[in-house]
Amino acid sequence: MKYQVLTSLLLASSLIAGVTAASAEECAKAPVTVGFLPKLDTDPYFQVAQTGAEEAAGEIGGKAVKQAPSQATAEAQIDFINNLVSQKVGVIAISANDANAVAPALRRAEKQGVRVVSYDSDVATAARTLFLNQAAGDSLAEMMLESMGQLIGYDGEFAILSSTPTATNQNAWIDFMKKKMASDKKYAKMKLVQVAYGQESEQVNQQQALGLAQAFPNLKGIIIPAGIGLPAAARAMDQAGLLGKIKLTGLAPAILIKKYIQNGSVQDIWWNVKDLGYLTYYAAQAVAQCKVTGKEGETFKAGRLGSYKVGHSGEVLLGPAKIVTPANIEEFKF
């Protein structure tokens, strides 16, 4: 009798597990709701990306909803992951504050039938299907280093003002820049004196930029690979009369620093942010409908952007970025 009961329990357990697995593998028959979860609610970068997602939703159906924390932490994002699961979204599209810290919550979401893609800043590969990357990470890092070199004549001290110590993409860019400087004689006379962090806050970025200028009297430039940080630092340095003496470059909406680019004290590396949201939405719907599984070589169509191919580890590249200078600033509307 005991064995019969045990067998029955094991069978029931197996059936429940099978139902759970099946629900997670179901393919959507129509466009679903995609829950966008950026790093920070107030970052204009993600607000513009969302307009692209909404444009795509208007073309193919479904909904693009955005929910995000007021603090750029993994803990805050985990709460929002759980909220989106409870709202029964079909796909979560996340830009991670910490690639590994949010992974367990995302894997739990997948077990409940919610698929996951990342955009802008990746998560652990096992916790998502695709990563929609704005540009090849190494190319962005090399362009920022090259831009800094151009601004300071490839000679002198510079600093990096990143966002947070756990920002996946920015840490990868910084590592690449360090290796490039060590291996390329072109940068032999450039010295990285410090990596500081603006914590996704305008005020902290301003304080840190001014602090770097004070700490290093011979500082010639700062690389700021953060959309909030570069405009904030540029304003602070300008008000302190330091902009020009200390050159800035990095990643930011070109329109927010247009006057500084035009006067030659700032350069920028940028891409079409609206298109990143647009591409992410199309990719999310392709994943929801099982048209894409994350395997290298798979292709899908993304409306006006054309066809895209899935690369290594599920990465999809939006396209090449550019160094924004006075000569091409008018190409960038954001």
Side-chain angles (χ1 to χ4, degrees):
M1 184 67 179
K2 287 181 179 178
Y3 291 112
Q4 290 177 331
V5 171
L6 179 60
T7 301
S8 298
L9 288 172
L10 288 172
L11 180 59
S13 175
S14 175
L15 288 170
I16 290 169
V19 169
T20 302
S23 65
E25 293 300 323
E26 286 179 1
C27 302
K29 307 299 183 191
V32 300
T33 297
V34 180
F36 281 78
L37 177 48
K39 294 177 182 178
L40 191 68
D41 187 45
T42 54
D43 190 335
Y45 176 93
F46 293 109
Q47 293 170 4
V48 172
Q50 192 67 18
T51 65
E54 290 165 1
E55 178 190 344
E59 293 174 358
I60 60 173
K63 286 180 65 178
V65 298
K66 179 171 76 73
Q67 297 183 8
S70 57
Q71 292 184 325
T73 66
E75 291 76 13
Q77 282 192 311
I78 289 169
D79 288 339
F80 280 87
I81 291 169
N82 297 334
N83 288 340
L84 288 168
V85 171
S86 68
Q87 292 170 32
K88 301 187 184 304
V89 300
V91 182
I92 292 173
I94 183 171
S95 175
N97 283 313
D98 186 315
N100 295 313
V102 298
L106 292 172
R107 286 195 287 267
R108 287 195 297 271
E110 288 181 320
K111 288 178 181 177
Q112 295 180 65
V114 179
R115 299 180 189 272
V116 177
V117 301
S118 59
Y119 72 116
D120 173 69
S121 182
D122 201 6
V123 299
T125 306
R128 50 77 173 162
T129 302
L130 296 178
F131 169 41
L132 291 308
N133 196 354
Q134 56 264 40
D138 288 356
S139 73
L140 286 176
E142 188 163 7
M143 290 173 80
M144 283 187 275
L145 186 61
E146 171 62 20
S147 176
M148 186 84 276
Q150 291 176 7
L151 288 168
I152 67 174
Y154 302 93
D155 188 355
E157 296 181 354
F158 74 100
I160 296 174
L161 178 52
S162 190
S163 60
T164 65
T166 58
T168 314
N169 50 355
Q170 293 173 21
N171 285 341
W173 297 335
I174 293 167
D175 286 343
F176 179 89
M177 284 187 264
K178 288 177 177 177
K179 291 174 182 175
K180 186 71 176 177
M181 289 174 64
S183 63
D184 194 333
K185 293 180 180 178
K186 184 183 198 178
Y187 305 107
K189 294 183 179 180
M190 290 172 60
K191 181 182 179 183
L192 174 59
V193 293
Q194 186 172 326
V195 177
Y197 301 96
Q199 303 297 339
E200 292 282 1
S201 162
E202 288 192 21
Q203 184 177 5
V204 175
N205 273 288
Q206 291 172 347
Q207 292 169 347
Q208 290 282 11
L210 294 173
L212 287 168
Q214 185 174 14
F216 301 99
N218 296 321
L219 193 69
K220 286 189 173 181
I222 307 175
I223 294 175
I224 310 174
I228 287 178
L230 184 51
R235 288 193 297 272
M237 300 291 273
D238 187 30
Q239 291 169 5
L242 295 169
L243 197 60
K245 175 180 180 289
I246 298 175
K247 301 294 182 71
L248 306 181
T249 190
L251 306 179
I255 195 70
L256 299 183
I257 49 174
K258 183 174 181 178
K259 69 176 182 178
Y260 304 124
I261 293 173
Q262 288 175 324
N263 69 24
S265 56
V266 175
Q267 284 186 358
D268 189 22
I269 290 81
W270 208 234
W271 51 88
N272 190 314
V273 178
K274 183 178 180 180
D275 285 353
L276 179 62
Y278 183 93
L279 173 63
T280 300
Y281 188 84
Y282 267 91
Q285 295 293 355
V287 168
Q289 296 172 42
C290 302
K291 295 176 181 177
V292 171
T293 65
K295 292 181 181 178
E296 187 171 356
E298 290 178 330
T299 61
F300 65 96
K301 292 184 178 179
R304 59 177 171 76
L305 297 180
S307 295
Y308 280 82
K309 181 179 286 190
V310 178
H312 180 65
S313 297
E315 183 179 34
V316 178
L317 293 176
L318 173 64
K322 292 183 179 180
I323 297 179
V324 186
T325 67
N328 64 8
I329 181 65
E330 297 304 329
E331 295 179 23
F332 299 85
K333 304 305 178 187
F334 177 76

